[in-house]
Amino acid sequence: MTIENAPEPAVTDRATFEAGVADLRTREKAHTRAGDAIAAARRRMPVVEVDAATTLIGPHGPTPLIDTFEGRAQLIAYYFMWYPGRPAAEQCEGCTWNNTQVDELSYVHSRDITYAVFCQGPYAESVRYHDFMNWTMPWYSAQQSLDTLLAGRRIGMMHVICYLRRDNRVFETYWTTGRGVEAVDINYRLMDLTIYGRQEPWEDSPEGWPQSHLEDTRTNGRPTAQWSRINAGRSDSLTG
């Protein structure tokens, strides 16, 4: 089922439509306030110390965790899933989806926050993917230190982890995984505003609504955002 041949929504008059929007707005405001309350609780969470000298690999070789803050007080690290030895087309479509939306970082920088990707694969191979995608965010390999940095959490899954730097010490303040990493995403939030939504099978939609996007972040066998890079003549090979 596609949008072109999907059933048409019910049509009503303006007054009835506006009454429905007003009802949604009440629920949306409650949802926003609930999110504010959760964020307030997050700000009151205790923290756990992490070894500030934990080693990552970056553009200048071995780099201690504390240096990935780039002098700022806080760090948001996206733990990028990785499939060693595979070409660009076979790398994680979800991580690609999320990080393709990370471009202008001046706003988070203005709040003393650095955003960086901690790839779970080797640096030399994965940084070629960073360059293939034409990304500009800081990129490191956390492969050698995942047991320390993920501390009992599942290696190989996407995570977003937040850190705080105090002088020469580093503290973990929050982490999330699964749909929690949608914090990085704007596309889904925009889709959720539309009448057909994300068009994915799990959604609660009216009968006959398009829900055919099984590979929700792939198009013709590869992460959707890669097609512009392929059309520009870039190579899928990441092994040099």
Side-chain angles (χ1 to χ4, degrees), residues 41-141:
R42 194 179 290 120
R43 292 191 292 272
R44 289 165 172 78
M45 281 277 292
V47 300
V48 61
E49 189 162 6
V50 181
D51 185 356
T54 302
T55 300
L56 297 96
I57 306 299
H60 306 295
T63 304
L65 173 62
I66 197 167
D67 285 358
T68 67
F69 283 72
E70 298 183 339
R72 300 185 181 91
Q74 298 184 85
L75 168 69
I76 300 171
Y78 187 107
Y79 283 74
F80 198 106
M81 296 170 61
W82 192 255
Y83 303 105
R86 300 188 188 179
E90 297 179 24
Q91 294 304 328
C92 178
E93 63 267 27
C95 294
T96 302
W97 170 288
N98 288 325
N99 284 282
T100 299
Q101 301 171 73
V102 179
D103 187 15
E104 179 55 67
L105 290 170
S106 61
Y107 297 104
V108 292
H109 291 172
S110 73
R111 307 301 170 94
D112 213 11
I113 303 166
T114 290
Y115 179 94
V117 170
F118 287 4
C119 186
Q120 299 181 57
Y123 181 78
E125 188 177 273
S126 67
V127 79
R128 292 189 184 99
Y129 190 67
H130 169 275
D131 297 341
F132 167 83
M133 293 301 303
N134 201 35
W135 289 335
T136 58
M137 80 286 282
W139 188 276
Y140 301 89
S141 168

Side-chain angles (χ1 to χ4, degrees), residues 13-52:
D13 60 89
R14 171 60 66 175
T16 303
F17 171 77
E18 293 297 343
V21 171
D23 179 64
L24 281 177
R25 193 77 71 238
T26 299
R27 297 170 63 187
E28 288 169 352
K29 287 182 178 180
H31 179 68
T32 298
R33 293 188 185 104
D36 290 342
I38 292 170
R42 194 179 290 120
R43 292 191 292 272
R44 289 165 172 78
M45 281 277 292
V47 300
V48 61
E49 189 162 6
V50 181
D51 185 356

